[in-house]
mmCIF file of all heavy atoms in Angstrom:
data_model
loop_
_atom_site.group_PDB
_atom_site.id
_atom_site.type_symbol
_atom_site.label_atom_id
_atom_site.label_comp_id
_atom_site.label_asym_id
_atom_site.label_seq_id
_atom_site.Cartn_x
_atom_site.Cartn_y
_atom_site.Cartn_z
ATOM 1 N N LEU P 106 116.779 101.235 99.877
ATOM 2 C CA LEU P 106 115.671 102.164 100.105
ATOM 3 C C LEU P 106 116.106 103.630 100.075
ATOM 4 O O LEU P 106 115.418 104.471 99.480
ATOM 5 C CB LEU P 106 114.986 101.869 101.439
ATOM 6 C CG LEU P 106 113.949 100.774 101.438
ATOM 7 C CD1 LEU P 106 113.422 100.535 102.835
ATOM 8 C CD2 LEU P 106 112.817 101.096 100.485
ATOM 9 N N THR P 107 117.214 103.962 100.705
ATOM 10 C CA THR P 107 117.671 105.354 100.745
ATOM 11 C C THR P 107 117.937 105.879 99.333
ATOM 12 O O THR P 107 117.490 106.975 98.980
ATOM 13 C CB THR P 107 118.920 105.507 101.607
ATOM 14 O OG1 THR P 107 118.648 104.974 102.896
ATOM 15 C CG2 THR P 107 119.326 106.945 101.749
ATOM 16 N N SER P 108 118.625 105.108 98.522
ATOM 17 C CA SER P 108 118.900 105.557 97.153
ATOM 18 C C SER P 108 117.617 105.584 96.318
ATOM 19 O O SER P 108 117.457 106.451 95.452
ATOM 20 C CB SER P 108 119.952 104.682 96.494
ATOM 21 O OG SER P 108 119.507 103.360 96.378
ATOM 22 N N TYR P 109 116.688 104.670 96.570
ATOM 23 C CA TYR P 109 115.411 104.669 95.857
ATOM 24 C C TYR P 109 114.637 105.958 96.136
ATOM 25 O O TYR P 109 114.158 106.605 95.223
ATOM 26 C CB TYR P 109 114.590 103.440 96.250
ATOM 27 C CG TYR P 109 113.185 103.473 95.706
ATOM 28 C CD1 TYR P 109 112.934 103.194 94.366
ATOM 29 C CD2 TYR P 109 112.105 103.783 96.514
ATOM 30 C CE1 TYR P 109 111.657 103.234 93.853
ATOM 31 C CE2 TYR P 109 110.822 103.813 96.033
ATOM 32 C CZ TYR P 109 110.607 103.532 94.689
ATOM 33 O OH TYR P 109 109.329 103.577 94.191
ATOM 34 N N PHE P 110 114.499 106.320 97.421
ATOM 35 C CA PHE P 110 113.775 107.536 97.770
ATOM 36 C C PHE P 110 114.503 108.781 97.268
ATOM 37 O O PHE P 110 113.859 109.765 96.888
ATOM 38 C CB PHE P 110 113.534 107.629 99.276
ATOM 39 C CG PHE P 110 112.410 106.750 99.749
ATOM 40 C CD1 PHE P 110 112.623 105.820 100.737
ATOM 41 C CD2 PHE P 110 111.147 106.865 99.206
ATOM 42 C CE1 PHE P 110 111.585 105.013 101.186
ATOM 43 C CE2 PHE P 110 110.104 106.064 99.653
ATOM 44 C CZ PHE P 110 110.330 105.144 100.638
ATOM 45 N N ALA P 111 115.837 108.770 97.246
ATOM 46 C CA ALA P 111 116.591 109.910 96.719
ATOM 47 C C ALA P 111 116.317 110.082 95.218
ATOM 48 O O ALA P 111 116.152 111.215 94.742
ATOM 49 C CB ALA P 111 118.080 109.721 96.970
ATOM 50 N N LYS P 112 116.249 108.986 94.481
ATOM 51 C CA LYS P 112 115.929 109.074 93.046
ATOM 52 C C LYS P 112 114.476 109.472 92.833
ATOM 53 O O LYS P 112 114.157 110.210 91.902
ATOM 54 C CB LYS P 112 116.220 107.746 92.363
ATOM 55 C CG LYS P 112 117.695 107.479 92.251
ATOM 56 C CD LYS P 112 117.987 106.168 91.587
ATOM 57 C CE LYS P 112 119.474 105.958 91.570
ATOM 58 N NZ LYS P 112 119.837 104.660 90.990
ATOM 59 N N LEU P 113 113.594 109.007 93.690
ATOM 60 C CA LEU P 113 112.187 109.390 93.608
ATOM 61 C C LEU P 113 112.018 110.873 93.862
ATOM 62 O O LEU P 113 111.160 111.533 93.268
ATOM 63 C CB LEU P 113 111.371 108.572 94.599
ATOM 64 C CG LEU P 113 109.875 108.511 94.433
ATOM 65 C CD1 LEU P 113 109.504 107.975 93.054
ATOM 66 C CD2 LEU P 113 109.276 107.630 95.493
ATOM 67 N N ARG P 114 112.852 111.433 94.729
ATOM 68 C CA ARG P 114 112.789 112.867 95.016
ATOM 69 C C ARG P 114 113.194 113.718 93.811
ATOM 70 O O ARG P 114 112.781 114.864 93.682
ATOM 71 C CB ARG P 114 113.673 113.214 96.214
ATOM 72 C CG ARG P 114 113.472 114.661 96.659
ATOM 73 C CD ARG P 114 114.282 115.004 97.852
ATOM 74 N NE ARG P 114 113.545 114.645 99.051
ATOM 75 C CZ ARG P 114 114.083 114.580 100.244
ATOM 76 N NH1 ARG P 114 115.354 114.823 100.408
ATOM 77 N NH2 ARG P 114 113.363 114.262 101.284
ATOM 78 N N LEU P 115 114.000 113.161 92.897
ATOM 79 C CA LEU P 115 114.362 113.890 91.670
ATOM 80 C C LEU P 115 113.126 114.146 90.814
ATOM 81 O O LEU P 115 113.009 115.178 90.168
ATOM 82 C CB LEU P 115 115.413 113.107 90.882
ATOM 83 C CG LEU P 115 116.778 112.949 91.536
ATOM 84 C CD1 LEU P 115 117.643 112.031 90.700
ATOM 85 C CD2 LEU P 115 117.435 114.299 91.748
ATOM 86 N N VAL P 116 112.208 113.189 90.795
ATOM 87 C CA VAL P 116 110.958 113.315 90.050
ATOM 88 C C VAL P 116 109.939 114.139 90.813
ATOM 89 O O VAL P 116 109.192 114.933 90.241
ATOM 90 C CB VAL P 116 110.394 111.913 89.715
ATOM 91 C CG1 VAL P 116 109.072 112.022 88.991
ATOM 92 C CG2 VAL P 116 111.385 111.124 88.908
ATOM 93 N N ASN P 117 109.871 113.940 92.126
ATOM 94 C CA ASN P 117 108.912 114.613 92.982
ATOM 95 C C ASN P 117 109.662 115.338 94.108
ATOM 96 O O ASN P 117 109.907 114.766 95.167
ATOM 97 C CB ASN P 117 107.938 113.583 93.565
ATOM 98 C CG ASN P 117 106.842 114.200 94.382
ATOM 99 O OD1 ASN P 117 106.817 115.390 94.610
ATOM 100 N ND2 ASN P 117 105.927 113.368 94.845
ATOM 101 N N PRO P 118 110.073 116.604 93.890
ATOM 102 C CA PRO P 118 110.900 117.299 94.875
ATOM 103 C C PRO P 118 110.222 117.514 96.235
ATOM 104 O O PRO P 118 110.909 117.742 97.226
ATOM 105 C CB PRO P 118 111.177 118.663 94.227
ATOM 106 C CG PRO P 118 110.760 118.543 92.816
ATOM 107 C CD PRO P 118 109.821 117.399 92.717
ATOM 108 N N ASP P 119 108.900 117.416 96.301
ATOM 109 C CA ASP P 119 108.200 117.618 97.562
ATOM 110 C C ASP P 119 108.070 116.340 98.397
ATOM 111 O O ASP P 119 107.433 116.347 99.448
ATOM 112 C CB ASP P 119 106.795 118.170 97.291
ATOM 113 C CG ASP P 119 106.838 119.547 96.677
ATOM 114 O OD1 ASP P 119 107.784 120.313 97.000
ATOM 115 O OD2 ASP P 119 105.960 119.883 95.876
ATOM 116 N N LEU P 120 108.667 115.263 97.939
ATOM 117 C CA LEU P 120 108.603 114.002 98.660
ATOM 118 C C LEU P 120 109.263 114.150 100.039
ATOM 119 O O LEU P 120 110.335 114.718 100.172
ATOM 120 C CB LEU P 120 109.326 112.899 97.875
ATOM 121 C CG LEU P 120 109.470 111.563 98.577
ATOM 122 C CD1 LEU P 120 108.159 110.798 98.494
ATOM 123 C CD2 LEU P 120 110.577 110.760 97.967
ATOM 124 N N VAL P 121 108.585 113.647 101.055
ATOM 125 C CA VAL P 121 109.120 113.613 102.403
ATOM 126 C C VAL P 121 109.336 112.148 102.774
ATOM 127 O O VAL P 121 108.430 111.336 102.593
ATOM 128 C CB VAL P 121 108.136 114.264 103.406
ATOM 129 C CG1 VAL P 121 108.632 114.120 104.826
ATOM 130 C CG2 VAL P 121 107.900 115.708 103.051
ATOM 131 N N PHE P 122 110.528 111.804 103.251
ATOM 132 C CA PHE P 122 110.761 110.432 103.689
ATOM 133 C C PHE P 122 111.756 110.401 104.839
ATOM 134 O O PHE P 122 112.561 111.326 105.010
ATOM 135 C CB PHE P 122 111.241 109.540 102.531
ATOM 136 C CG PHE P 122 112.649 109.770 102.100
ATOM 137 C CD1 PHE P 122 113.686 109.038 102.641
ATOM 138 C CD2 PHE P 122 112.952 110.710 101.129
ATOM 139 C CE1 PHE P 122 114.992 109.230 102.226
ATOM 140 C CE2 PHE P 122 114.248 110.917 100.722
ATOM 141 C CZ PHE P 122 115.271 110.183 101.259
ATOM 142 N N ASN P 123 111.650 109.363 105.633
ATOM 143 C CA ASN P 123 112.558 109.166 106.748
ATOM 144 C C ASN P 123 112.767 107.672 106.913
ATOM 145 O O ASN P 123 111.806 106.909 106.979
ATOM 146 C CB ASN P 123 111.972 109.767 108.030
ATOM 147 C CG ASN P 123 112.920 109.666 109.206
ATOM 148 O OD1 ASN P 123 114.083 109.303 109.054
ATOM 149 N ND2 ASN P 123 112.424 109.991 110.371
ATOM 150 N N ILE P 124 114.024 107.253 106.937
ATOM 151 C CA ILE P 124 114.369 105.852 107.131
ATOM 152 C C ILE P 124 115.152 105.727 108.419
ATOM 153 O O ILE P 124 116.121 106.463 108.625
ATOM 154 C CB ILE P 124 115.179 105.304 105.948
ATOM 155 C CG1 ILE P 124 114.363 105.404 104.662
ATOM 156 C CG2 ILE P 124 115.617 103.877 106.221
ATOM 157 C CD1 ILE P 124 115.109 105.013 103.427
ATOM 158 N N GLN P 125 114.746 104.820 109.289
ATOM 159 C CA GLN P 125 115.443 104.611 110.543
ATOM 160 C C GLN P 125 116.113 103.238 110.523
ATOM 161 O O GLN P 125 115.513 102.260 110.077
ATOM 162 C CB GLN P 125 114.480 104.712 111.716
ATOM 163 C CG GLN P 125 113.940 106.105 111.888
ATOM 164 C CD GLN P 125 112.975 106.187 113.068
ATOM 165 O OE1 GLN P 125 112.687 105.209 113.729
ATOM 166 N NE2 GLN P 125 112.491 107.376 113.310
ATOM 167 N N THR P 126 117.349 103.206 111.008
ATOM 168 C CA THR P 126 118.105 101.958 111.094
ATOM 169 C C THR P 126 118.527 101.740 112.532
ATOM 170 O O THR P 126 118.446 102.633 113.366
ATOM 171 C CB THR P 126 119.335 101.994 110.176
ATOM 172 O OG1 THR P 126 120.138 103.129 110.505
ATOM 173 C CG2 THR P 126 118.934 102.093 108.717
ATOM 174 N N THR P 127 119.023 100.531 112.815
ATOM 175 C CA THR P 127 119.386 100.187 114.198
ATOM 176 C C THR P 127 120.584 100.981 114.685
ATOM 177 O O THR P 127 120.583 101.497 115.781
ATOM 178 C CB THR P 127 119.666 98.682 114.350
ATOM 179 O OG1 THR P 127 120.635 98.316 113.368
ATOM 180 C CG2 THR P 127 118.412 97.885 114.180
ATOM 181 N N SER P 128 121.623 101.066 113.898
ATOM 182 C CA SER P 128 122.813 101.822 114.294
ATOM 183 C C SER P 128 123.516 102.316 113.049
ATOM 184 O O SER P 128 123.273 101.862 111.941
ATOM 185 C CB SER P 128 123.774 100.958 115.122
ATOM 186 O OG SER P 128 124.328 99.948 114.310
ATOM 187 N N TYR P 129 124.404 103.274 113.243
ATOM 188 C CA TYR P 129 125.138 103.840 112.113
ATOM 189 C C TYR P 129 126.025 102.795 111.458
ATOM 190 O O TYR P 129 126.123 102.733 110.235
ATOM 191 C CB TYR P 129 125.983 105.026 112.579
ATOM 192 C CG TYR P 129 126.787 105.665 111.473
ATOM 193 C CD1 TYR P 129 126.166 106.471 110.525
ATOM 194 C CD2 TYR P 129 128.140 105.444 111.355
ATOM 195 C CE1 TYR P 129 126.877 107.045 109.497
ATOM 196 C CE2 TYR P 129 128.867 106.017 110.332
ATOM 197 C CZ TYR P 129 128.235 106.808 109.409
ATOM 198 O OH TYR P 129 128.940 107.365 108.386
ATOM 199 N N LYS P 130 126.628 101.953 112.254
ATOM 200 C CA LYS P 130 127.552 100.945 111.735
ATOM 201 C C LYS P 130 126.815 99.778 111.077
ATOM 202 O O LYS P 130 127.125 99.356 109.991
ATOM 203 C CB LYS P 130 128.417 100.429 112.865
ATOM 204 C CG LYS P 130 129.590 99.609 112.418
ATOM 205 C CD LYS P 130 130.187 98.859 113.576
ATOM 206 C CE LYS P 130 131.445 99.474 114.081
ATOM 207 N NZ LYS P 130 132.093 98.667 115.109
ATOM 208 N N ASP P 131 125.779 99.289 111.754
ATOM 209 C CA ASP P 131 125.044 98.103 111.290
ATOM 210 C C ASP P 131 124.112 98.431 110.128
ATOM 211 O O ASP P 131 123.975 97.655 109.184
ATOM 212 C CB ASP P 131 124.262 97.521 112.455
ATOM 213 C CG ASP P 131 123.654 96.165 112.132
ATOM 214 O OD1 ASP P 131 124.113 95.526 111.186
ATOM 215 O OD2 ASP P 131 122.728 95.770 112.831
ATOM 216 N N LYS P 132 123.452 99.583 110.165
ATOM 217 C CA LYS P 132 122.509 100.021 109.135
ATOM 218 C C LYS P 132 121.408 98.996 108.875
ATOM 219 O O LYS P 132 121.014 98.757 107.747
ATOM 220 C CB LYS P 132 123.220 100.361 107.831
ATOM 221 C CG LYS P 132 124.105 101.556 107.907
ATOM 222 C CD LYS P 132 123.413 102.707 107.293
ATOM 223 C CE LYS P 132 124.346 103.898 107.273
ATOM 224 N NZ LYS P 132 123.714 105.083 106.903
ATOM 225 N N ARG P 133 120.906 98.377 109.914
ATOM 226 C CA ARG P 133 119.823 97.411 109.772
ATOM 227 C C ARG P 133 118.492 98.147 109.802
ATOM 228 O O ARG P 133 118.209 98.903 110.718
ATOM 229 C CB ARG P 133 119.913 96.390 110.894
ATOM 230 C CG ARG P 133 119.004 95.227 110.683
ATOM 231 C CD ARG P 133 119.376 94.093 111.587
ATOM 232 N NE ARG P 133 118.408 93.044 111.388
ATOM 233 C CZ ARG P 133 117.862 92.353 112.340
ATOM 234 N NH1 ARG P 133 118.207 92.553 113.570
ATOM 235 N NH2 ARG P 133 116.979 91.432 112.074
ATOM 236 N N PHE P 134 117.661 97.905 108.812
ATOM 237 C CA PHE P 134 116.374 98.593 108.653
ATOM 238 C C PHE P 134 115.454 98.311 109.826
ATOM 239 O O PHE P 134 115.307 97.179 110.266
ATOM 240 C CB PHE P 134 115.728 98.126 107.350
ATOM 241 C CG PHE P 134 114.351 98.640 107.130
ATOM 242 C CD1 PHE P 134 114.157 99.894 106.610
ATOM 243 C CD2 PHE P 134 113.246 97.878 107.470
ATOM 244 C CE1 PHE P 134 112.876 100.382 106.397
ATOM 245 C CE2 PHE P 134 111.968 98.348 107.263
ATOM 246 C CZ PHE P 134 111.794 99.603 106.725
ATOM 247 N N THR P 135 114.823 99.381 110.362
ATOM 248 C CA THR P 135 113.781 99.186 111.390
ATOM 249 C C THR P 135 112.446 99.732 110.902
ATOM 250 O O THR P 135 111.437 99.088 111.074
ATOM 251 C CB THR P 135 114.165 99.853 112.728
ATOM 252 O OG1 THR P 135 114.450 101.221 112.499
ATOM 253 C CG2 THR P 135 115.322 99.161 113.368
ATOM 254 N N ARG P 136 112.431 100.951 110.336
ATOM 255 C CA ARG P 136 111.163 101.524 109.860
ATOM 256 C C ARG P 136 111.441 102.648 108.872
ATOM 257 O O ARG P 136 112.518 103.219 108.842
ATOM 258 C CB ARG P 136 110.318 102.004 111.030
ATOM 259 C CG ARG P 136 110.909 103.133 111.816
ATOM 260 C CD ARG P 136 110.003 103.557 112.960
ATOM 261 N NE ARG P 136 109.871 102.523 113.952
ATOM 262 C CZ ARG P 136 110.385 102.575 115.173
ATOM 263 N NH1 ARG P 136 111.058 103.633 115.551
ATOM 264 N NH2 ARG P 136 110.220 101.590 116.001
ATOM 265 N N CYS P 137 110.429 102.956 108.075
ATOM 266 C CA CYS P 137 110.515 104.105 107.163
ATOM 267 C C CYS P 137 109.135 104.739 107.013
ATOM 268 O O CYS P 137 108.111 104.124 107.271
ATOM 269 C CB CYS P 137 111.092 103.717 105.808
ATOM 270 S SG CYS P 137 110.031 102.720 104.773
ATOM 271 N N PHE P 138 109.153 105.986 106.577
ATOM 272 C CA PHE P 138 107.953 106.782 106.390
ATOM 273 C C PHE P 138 108.121 107.558 105.093
ATOM 274 O O PHE P 138 109.220 108.010 104.790
ATOM 275 C CB PHE P 138 107.779 107.758 107.561
ATOM 276 C CG PHE P 138 106.802 108.861 107.277
ATOM 277 C CD1 PHE P 138 105.443 108.653 107.457
ATOM 278 C CD2 PHE P 138 107.238 110.094 106.813
ATOM 279 C CE1 PHE P 138 104.542 109.676 107.170
ATOM 280 C CE2 PHE P 138 106.340 111.099 106.524
ATOM 281 C CZ PHE P 138 104.985 110.896 106.704
ATOM 282 N N TRP P 139 107.041 107.713 104.307
ATOM 283 C CA TRP P 139 107.104 108.581 103.146
ATOM 284 C C TRP P 139 105.748 109.177 102.838
ATOM 285 O O TRP P 139 104.707 108.622 103.133
ATOM 286 C CB TRP P 139 107.698 107.887 101.936
ATOM 287 C CG TRP P 139 106.867 106.802 101.311
ATOM 288 C CD1 TRP P 139 106.053 106.946 100.224
ATOM 289 C CD2 TRP P 139 106.783 105.441 101.697
ATOM 290 N NE1 TRP P 139 105.465 105.745 99.915
ATOM 291 C CE2 TRP P 139 105.901 104.806 100.813
ATOM 292 C CE3 TRP P 139 107.373 104.671 102.716
ATOM 293 C CZ2 TRP P 139 105.599 103.457 100.923
ATOM 294 C CZ3 TRP P 139 107.045 103.343 102.813
ATOM 295 C CH2 TRP P 139 106.179 102.746 101.925
ATOM 296 N N CYS P 140 105.793 110.375 102.272
ATOM 297 C CA CYS P 140 104.591 111.099 101.871
ATOM 298 C C CYS P 140 104.910 111.823 100.565
ATOM 299 O O CYS P 140 105.899 112.559 100.503
ATOM 300 C CB CYS P 140 104.194 112.095 102.958
ATOM 301 S SG CYS P 140 102.807 113.145 102.509
ATOM 302 N N PHE P 141 104.118 111.586 99.561
ATOM 303 C CA PHE P 141 104.337 112.238 98.279
ATOM 304 C C PHE P 141 103.916 113.695 98.347
ATOM 305 O O PHE P 141 103.030 114.066 99.126
ATOM 306 C CB PHE P 141 103.576 111.511 97.172
ATOM 307 C CG PHE P 141 104.046 110.092 96.980
ATOM 308 C CD1 PHE P 141 103.264 109.042 97.398
ATOM 309 C CD2 PHE P 141 105.278 109.835 96.414
ATOM 310 C CE1 PHE P 141 103.677 107.737 97.247
ATOM 311 C CE2 PHE P 141 105.714 108.524 96.243
ATOM 312 C CZ PHE P 141 104.913 107.477 96.663
ATOM 313 N N GLY P 142 104.495 114.549 97.509
ATOM 314 C CA GLY P 142 104.265 115.982 97.560
ATOM 315 C C GLY P 142 102.826 116.443 97.388
ATOM 316 O O GLY P 142 102.300 117.164 98.222
ATOM 317 N N PRO P 143 102.141 116.084 96.316
ATOM 318 C CA PRO P 143 100.783 116.590 96.117
ATOM 319 C C PRO P 143 99.826 116.290 97.268
ATOM 320 O O PRO P 143 99.091 117.165 97.691
ATOM 321 C CB PRO P 143 100.338 115.931 94.816
ATOM 322 C CG PRO P 143 101.596 115.713 94.065
ATOM 323 C CD PRO P 143 102.627 115.384 95.136
ATOM 324 N N PRO P 144 99.821 115.069 97.838
ATOM 325 C CA PRO P 144 98.942 114.862 98.990
ATOM 326 C C PRO P 144 99.270 115.784 100.160
ATOM 327 O O PRO P 144 98.392 116.250 100.856
ATOM 328 C CB PRO P 144 99.171 113.387 99.359
ATOM 329 C CG PRO P 144 99.628 112.771 98.113
ATOM 330 C CD PRO P 144 100.421 113.833 97.397
ATOM 331 N N LYS P 145 100.551 116.044 100.361
ATOM 332 C CA LYS P 145 100.968 116.919 101.448
ATOM 333 C C LYS P 145 100.426 118.327 101.231
ATOM 334 O O LYS P 145 99.972 118.980 102.167
ATOM 335 C CB LYS P 145 102.498 116.932 101.530
ATOM 336 C CG LYS P 145 103.038 117.658 102.730
ATOM 337 C CD LYS P 145 104.542 117.567 102.787
ATOM 338 C CE LYS P 145 105.148 118.405 101.698
ATOM 339 N NZ LYS P 145 106.581 118.584 101.831
ATOM 340 N N LYS P 146 100.422 118.784 99.982
ATOM 341 C CA LYS P 146 99.938 120.132 99.671
ATOM 342 C C LYS P 146 98.412 120.242 99.768
ATOM 343 O O LYS P 146 97.873 121.258 100.138
ATOM 344 C CB LYS P 146 100.386 120.544 98.274
ATOM 345 C CG LYS P 146 101.862 120.810 98.168
ATOM 346 C CD LYS P 146 102.233 121.180 96.758
ATOM 347 C CE LYS P 146 103.710 121.419 96.643
ATOM 348 N NZ LYS P 146 104.111 121.721 95.281
#
Side-chain angles (χ1 to χ4, degrees):
L106 277 177
T107 305
S108 62
Y109 172 75
F110 282 124
K112 289 180 182 177
L113 197 57
R114 187 178 274 166
L115 294 174
V116 177
N117 184 356
D119 295 327
L120 174 78
V121 175
F122 73 93
N123 184 8
I124 298 175
Q125 294 180 357
T126 56
T127 53
S128 68
Y129 180 74
K130 192 194 257 186
D131 189 19
K132 293 259 184 189
R133 190 165 177 223
F134 174 83
T135 55
R136 64 180 66 110
C137 71
F138 164 84
W139 69 97
C140 175
F141 297 107
K145 188 177 71 169
K146 290 179 181 177

